């Protein structure tokens, strides 16, 4: 089956019987167009029709069309009228009418084709506004609902065109939301930006809407993410027009993984301990892994006497957890556990069995232009340098969405195009590199880039740009302060210093260090680093931050940057820009073997263990140790923290407490 074609189960038999399945799949695969073959809208559960021998086909950028496969003209016409009426109902429900108009206007976009002459190419939409209307109708039918207030049908500026691109579920995403069945645990692995969290929300919405008796829980490691998700879920449910009111802590739960002894609803593990009346282990009681294993053992001895707690559990960012926590969630869940993790959160971590055993691997990153993502990976892994820092096995390249072709001693790495970026010209420079000129300050360099971006994109807003400082040196805070003043003086823009505000403030010019920009995306990202050092932590941050943009990424390097390395990287970038392919030297077996020194083989040491190891060399009381553990957990919001940064923070907090 084509990776670009979704065929609803009730439509499959019809198109196979009519012998048009191969034709449809060949079109979708050959044109890289997401195509849906349906008998009824996926997003309208109660849609029923008297005629069962017709299908409707939707394909991005093409007029949707009906096909009669039963040779009953009268019943077929009635089927078409009923289908269009259901689309009209969905248009009203999700407030699309203000963009696509009344049915009498958009129904003219639908065609009828003879199955014996299935020329889908002839239905290509020529007008961009009509193309957006077609994609909006498609999004309605497949349940990939868009916020139409952010979409301009008449957008002609490149920035506005990308912002106005309608989001459509791909084949895997559609199957997950409307089909996924099988084992009690469903595992999703995917790149950052592949839409994992959004899929979990859609699946949660489907279950919550249709299973009134189900108890559902969402959990993740990060306290801040859990808090934001508790705010986001009601907004999402309201946006998706879920009519049922949320019954928090009875039918729907949202909490981070651990929790505190004071509140049974403060964490997943804490609530499980509360329900089964087993001892709760705090930070001082041991590692999270050991406590989850202990809980599993204790529950196993009594579970026959108790019911399961939840019917469904959704676990996000599963790479942050020990296996024991996921096992604990599974044993306390009656029907199904959905697990979503990042296949490549840290480019220096090895791939594990979770990827090979995943039910679904999302290989497309919808946040970032494929050319930009390729170059970001190349920078992080040192693919244009000798020796390389990281090289993947063929199956690992595939899991990251790459197609690899070997030619002599080189590898050609490419990615499939994405709808979101199809308006970007082929030779568009989505990534650019600069070096500080003699006498030029960091602020001057960044202001020049902002001015150049502003001159090319007339609809640019100050919240469209993020500046991220990749180094940890103290100089960055002076540079950030200078930039905040300079951006106000030159453009009269207000700056949001993220590590001070702890908020995104979408209407302000964003400035951040590497620890406060995760999970965000911007049309334009400007990264600054003094040089391209080969520290794995720095290179992973470089890859992560450069891939925060969905249109352009700019990298500014200080005057200490190695000119020979810069030259090699610039040549590699030019090839990606011109050909859409990454052309890299295949490293020798010795180079590949030497990368083991950089790969993080073990699970990350917990914050608690780091603090205890640090305090073992100091004269720290048990009370101070506990205080530092709590303080570090509060400061380090992301579980995949940088250990060097943790050591610096620990030293500073320890000294501050000793003075006090």
């Amino acid at each position: 089956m084509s990776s670009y074609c979704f065929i609803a189960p009730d439509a499959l038999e019809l198109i196979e019987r009519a012998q048009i399945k191969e034709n449809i799949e060949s079109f979708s695969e050959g044109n890289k167009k997401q195509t849906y073959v349906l008998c009824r809208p996926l997003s309208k559960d109660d849609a029923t029709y008297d005629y069962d021998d017709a299908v409707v086909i939707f394909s991005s950028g093409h007029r949707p069309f009906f096909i009669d496969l039963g040779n009953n003209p009268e019943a077929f016409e009635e089927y078409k009228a009923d289908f269009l009426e259901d689309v009209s109902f969905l248009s009203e429900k999700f407030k699309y009418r203000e963009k696509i108009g009344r049915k009498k206007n958009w129904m003219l976009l639908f065609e009828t084709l003879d199955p014996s002459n299935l020329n889908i190419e002839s239905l290509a939409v020529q007008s961009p506004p009509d193309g957006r209307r077609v994609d909006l109708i498609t999004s309605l039918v497949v349940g990939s609902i868009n916020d139409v207030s952010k979409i301009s049908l008449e957008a002609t500026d490149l920035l506005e065109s990308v912002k106005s691109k309608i989001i459509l579920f791909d084949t895997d995403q559609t199957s997950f939301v409307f089909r996924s069945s099988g084992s009690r645990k469903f595992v999703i692995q995917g790149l950052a930006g592949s839409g994992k969290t959004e899929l979990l929300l859609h699946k949660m919405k489907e279950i919550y809407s249709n299973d009134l008796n189900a108890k559902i829980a969402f959990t993740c490691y990060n306290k801040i993410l859990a808090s934001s998700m508790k705010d986001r879920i009601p907004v999402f449910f309201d946006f998706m027009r879920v009519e049922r009111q949320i019954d928090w802590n009875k039918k729907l739960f949202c909490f981070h993984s651990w929790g505190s002894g004071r509140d049974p609803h403060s964490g997943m593990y804490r609530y499980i301990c509360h329900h089964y009346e087993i001892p709760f282990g705090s930070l001082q009681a041991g590692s999270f892994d050991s406590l989850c294993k202990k809980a599993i053992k204790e529950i196993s001895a009594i579970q026959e006497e108790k019911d399961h707690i939840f019917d469904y559990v959704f676990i996000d960012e599963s790479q942050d957890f020990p296996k024991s926590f996921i096992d604990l969630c599974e044993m306390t869940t009656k029907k199904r556990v959905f697990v979503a993790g990042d296949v490549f959160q840290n480019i220096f971590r090895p791939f594990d069995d979770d990827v090979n055993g995943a039910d679904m691997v999302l290989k497309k990153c919808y946040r970032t232009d494929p050319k930009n993502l390729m170059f970001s990976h190349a920078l992080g892994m040192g693919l244009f340098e000798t020796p390389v820092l990281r090289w993947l096995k063929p199956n690992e390249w595939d899991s990251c969405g790459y197609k690899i072709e070997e030619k002599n001693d080189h590898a050609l790495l490419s990615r499939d195009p994405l709808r979101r970026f199809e308006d970007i010209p082929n030779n568009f420079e989505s990534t650019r590199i600069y070096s500080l000129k003699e006498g030029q300050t960091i602020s001057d360099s960044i202001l020049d880039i902002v001015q150049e971006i502003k001159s090319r994109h007339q609809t640019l807003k100050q919240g469209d740009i993020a500046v991220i400082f990749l180094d940890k040196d103290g100089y960055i805070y002076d540079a950030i302060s200078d930039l905040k003043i300079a951006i106000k003086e030159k453009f009269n823009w207000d700056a949001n210093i993220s590590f001070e505000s702890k908020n995104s403030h979408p209407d302000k010019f964003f400035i951040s260090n590497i620890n406060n920009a995760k999970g965000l995306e911007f049309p334009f990202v400007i990264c600054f680093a003094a040089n391209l050092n080969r520290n794995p932590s720095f290179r992973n941050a470089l890859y992560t931050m450069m891939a925060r943009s969905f249109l352009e990424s700019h990298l500014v390097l200080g005057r200490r940057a190695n000119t020979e390395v810069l030259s090699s990287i610039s040549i590699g970038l030019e090839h990606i820009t011109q050909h859409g392919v990454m052309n890299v030297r295949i490293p020798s077996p010795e180079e590949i073997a030497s990368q083991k020194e950089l790969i993080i083989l073990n699970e990350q040491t917990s914050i608690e263990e780091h603090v205890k190891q640090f305090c073992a060399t100091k004269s720290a009381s048990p009370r101070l140790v506990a205080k530092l553990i709590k303080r570090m957990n509060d400061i380090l919001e992301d579980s995949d923290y940088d250990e060097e940064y943790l050591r610096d923070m620990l030293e500073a907090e320890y000294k501050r407490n000793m003075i006090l």
Side-chain angles (χ1 to χ4, degrees):
M1 182 177 290
S2 166
S3 60
Y4 285 87
C5 189
F6 174 86
I7 304 173
D10 50 357
L12 180 59
E13 182 182 352
L14 290 174
I15 63 172
E16 285 183 333
R17 189 178 67 203
Q19 299 182 338
I20 59 175
K21 177 174 178 284
E22 185 177 341
N23 188 331
I24 297 168
E25 290 184 334
S26 176
F27 164 80
S28 65
E29 190 68 35
N31 292 277
K32 307 297 183 188
K33 294 289 186 182
Q34 194 62 45
T35 302
Y36 312 83
V37 185
L38 312 172
C39 289
R40 56 187 49 79
L42 296 175
S43 53
K44 196 172 188 302
D45 298 328
D46 59 350
T48 57
Y49 306 109
D50 295 331
Y51 190 54
D52 296 326
D53 290 319
V55 297
V56 194
I57 298 180
F58 296 83
S59 186
S60 174
H62 292 72
R63 292 174 180 269
F65 58 95
F66 295 95
I67 303 178
D68 183 7
L69 301 173
N71 196 26
N72 187 335
E74 184 176 341
F76 179 56
E77 288 301 317
E78 186 175 334
Y79 167 84
K80 290 197 296 183
D82 288 344
F83 191 99
L84 294 174
E85 193 60 41
D86 282 339
V87 175
S88 181
F89 168 82
L90 292 170
S91 173
E92 291 288 336
K93 179 179 180 180
F94 294 107
K95 303 186 184 303
Y96 271 40
R97 198 176 81 175
E98 63 184 80
K99 293 292 180 181
I100 65 175
R102 294 184 180 274
K103 184 175 74 170
K104 64 181 180 181
N105 297 319
W106 53 256
M107 66 181 293
L108 301 176
L109 295 170
F110 283 77
E111 297 281 354
T112 300
L113 290 189
D114 188 328
S116 63
N117 183 26
L118 208 59
N119 185 6
I120 304 176
E121 285 87 349
S122 67
L123 301 181
V125 180
Q126 304 301 319
S127 160
D130 277 348
R132 293 189 181 103
R133 286 189 182 90
V134 166
D135 284 347
L136 280 172
I137 292 170
T138 304
S139 74
L140 271 180
V141 171
V142 302
S144 186
I145 308 302
N146 286 246
D147 184 352
V148 294
S149 67
K150 298 179 180 178
I151 293 171
S152 169
L153 295 181
E154 305 296 332
T156 55
D157 172 80
L158 179 58
L159 175 57
E160 286 302 302
S161 293
V162 176
K163 284 183 176 181
S164 296
K165 187 61 67 174
I166 288 85
I167 298 170
L168 297 176
F169 288 144
D170 65 23
T171 305
D172 289 332
Q173 293 169 331
T174 310
S175 297
F176 172 73
V177 174
F178 295 104
R179 274 191 196 166
S180 60
S181 59
S183 63
R184 288 185 66 250
K185 182 170 71 173
F186 191 96
V187 178
I188 305 172
Q189 289 285 332
L191 291 172
S194 58
K196 299 182 295 298
T197 303
E198 195 74 13
L199 282 184
L200 293 185
L201 284 172
H202 276 278
K203 194 67 180 180
M204 185 192 302
K205 185 270 298 184
E206 286 293 308
I207 294 171
Y208 193 78
S209 299
N210 298 317
D211 190 341
L212 300 181
N213 296 317
K215 290 180 70 175
I216 305 167
F218 178 96
T219 187
C220 55
Y221 189 93
N222 188 312
K223 293 179 185 178
I224 303 300
L225 177 58
S227 176
S228 67
M229 286 301 297
K230 193 160 186 177
D231 293 333
R232 183 177 172 186
I233 289 170
V235 173
F236 178 78
F237 277 23
D238 183 58
F239 176 68
M240 294 297 295
R241 305 297 184 263
V242 175
E243 297 177 359
R244 181 185 174 194
Q245 187 174 357
I246 294 180
D247 192 356
W248 286 116
N249 295 335
K250 290 184 179 179
K251 294 298 182 182
L252 188 59
F253 302 76
C254 180
F255 28 44
H256 80 282
S257 55
W258 201 322
S260 66
R262 296 185 300 274
D263 180 9
H265 293 93
S266 60
M268 184 74 168
Y269 163 69
R270 176 67 180 93
Y271 189 77
I272 290 172
C273 292
H274 166 74
H275 179 87
Y276 289 109
E277 299 177 351
I278 62 175
F280 166 74
S282 64
L283 283 167
Q284 291 76 32
S287 70
F288 192 48
D289 183 27
S290 65
L291 291 172
C292 289
K293 289 176 179 176
K294 184 172 181 287
I296 289 172
K297 186 176 180 180
E298 292 172 336
I299 294 169
S300 297
I302 63 172
Q303 193 174 27
E304 289 183 357
E305 305 170 13
K306 304 238 180 185
D307 294 330
H308 292 90
I309 305 178
F310 308 106
D311 292 290
Y312 300 92
V313 166
F314 293 82
I315 303 173
D316 201 9
E317 303 295 351
S318 64
Q319 74 281 350
D320 294 339
F321 294 114
K323 180 179 180 296
S324 57
F325 176 72
I326 297 173
D327 291 341
L328 177 63
C329 291
E330 189 174 5
M331 79 176 297
T332 57
T333 303
K334 183 177 182 179
K335 294 182 179 179
R336 207 154 198 216
V337 176
F338 296 94
V339 183
D342 191 335
V343 66
F344 211 34
Q345 185 187 56
N346 188 315
I347 57 178
F348 293 97
R349 287 189 183 278
F351 283 65
D352 54 29
D353 293 336
D354 288 340
V355 177
N356 299 325
D359 296 280
M360 183 167 69
V361 179
L362 301 174
K363 302 176 182 180
K364 298 175 182 176
C365 172
Y366 293 98
R367 175 194 296 143
T368 308
D369 173 22
K371 291 181 180 180
N372 187 5
L373 185 62
M374 282 191 280
F375 184 67
S376 298
H377 274 142
L379 275 180
M381 293 191 282
L383 299 181
F384 298 129
E385 302 165 51
T386 304
V388 299
L389 290 167
R390 183 80 159 98
W391 186 259
L392 305 182
K393 300 173 184 176
N395 65 305
E396 294 172 337
W397 285 118
D398 178 70
S399 294
C400 291
Y402 282 98
K403 296 177 180 178
I404 183 168
E405 178 186 354
E406 295 187 6
K407 283 191 175 181
N408 299 321
D409 61 344
H410 276 65
L412 301 179
L413 293 156
S414 60
R415 304 184 66 84
D416 281 346
L418 297 175
R419 285 187 61 259
R420 186 181 190 186
F421 308 106
E422 63 187 3
D423 294 328
I424 297 177
N426 289 333
N427 60 350
F428 181 78
E429 295 181 63
S430 60
T431 310
R432 305 183 188 193
I433 303 179
Y434 313 81
S435 293
L436 280 185
K437 300 172 184 175
E438 197 64 38
Q440 187 181 41
T441 67
I442 297 172
S443 293
D444 289 341
S445 176
I446 292 172
L447 289 177
D448 287 347
I449 296 170
V450 172
Q451 181 63 62
E452 196 274 334
I453 293 173
K454 200 168 181 291
S455 67
R456 288 187 289 109
H457 299 279
Q458 303 304 313
T459 58
L460 179 79
K461 300 174 182 177
Q462 56 180 315
D464 290 334
I465 301 180
V467 177
I468 304 169
F469 288 82
L470 303 178
D471 296 326
K472 300 167 189 169
D473 307 60
Y475 82 84
I476 70 169
Y477 299 102
D478 290 334
I480 288 171
S481 179
D482 292 343
L483 180 59
K484 178 181 179 180
I485 295 170
I487 207 75
K488 182 67 174 178
E489 290 178 349
K490 188 172 181 66
F491 300 111
N492 196 29
W493 286 357
D494 294 319
N496 169 30
I497 312 299
S498 66
F499 54 82
E500 294 176 354
S501 69
K502 296 296 182 181
N503 286 303
S504 58
H505 289 301
D507 296 325
K508 293 184 179 181
F509 184 78
F510 185 87
I511 308 175
S512 179
N513 56 16
I514 60 171
N515 296 297
N516 291 274
K518 291 185 178 181
L520 302 175
E521 71 168 29
F522 302 86
F524 306 93
V525 167
I526 303 171
C527 294
F528 181 85
N531 57 59
L532 284 174
N533 71 76
R534 291 172 63 85
N535 180 287
S537 173
F538 170 80
R539 287 302 180 106
N540 190 67
L542 176 61
Y543 144 67
T544 304
M545 296 303 124
M546 287 288 285
R548 290 285 141 207
S549 76
F550 61 78
L551 191 54
E552 293 178 21
S553 288
H554 299 255
L555 175 61
V556 184
L557 296 170
R559 285 178 283 274
R560 291 182 289 155
N562 186 305
T563 54
E564 185 177 342
V565 171
L566 266 180
S567 175
S568 176
I569 288 172
S570 298
I571 292 171
L573 172 59
E574 184 178 359
H575 193 277
I576 292 174
T577 301
Q578 296 299 322
H579 305 285
V581 175
M582 184 159 45
N583 185 357
V584 296
R585 176 185 59 85
I586 298 175
S588 66
E590 292 74 22
E591 277 184 75
I592 295 174
S594 68
Q595 72 177 339
K596 293 178 181 177
E597 300 173 7
L598 298 171
I599 294 176
I600 304 168
L601 295 176
N602 300 317
E603 290 298 317
Q604 187 179 48
T605 304
S606 70
I607 292 175
E608 174 193 358
E609 290 166 340
H610 266 299
V611 174
K612 288 181 177 179
Q613 290 170 11
F614 173 83
C615 290
T617 64
K618 309 285 185 180
S619 56
S621 66
R623 182 176 180 181
L624 178 55
V625 173
K627 184 176 181 180
L628 289 174
I629 290 172
K630 183 179 185 306
R631 179 62 176 151
M632 290 302 104
N633 274 283
D634 289 342
I635 292 174
L636 299 165
E637 299 168 359
D638 293 297
S639 61
D640 192 26
Y641 56 83
D642 180 88
E643 295 185 2
E644 185 179 338
Y645 179 71
L646 169 58
R647 286 194 299 271
D648 292 343
M649 294 302 299
L650 254 179
E651 188 70 47
E653 282 296 310
Y654 176 78
K655 289 179 179 177
R656 190 174 71 84
N657 277 276
M658 293 305 290
I659 293 172
L660 294 174

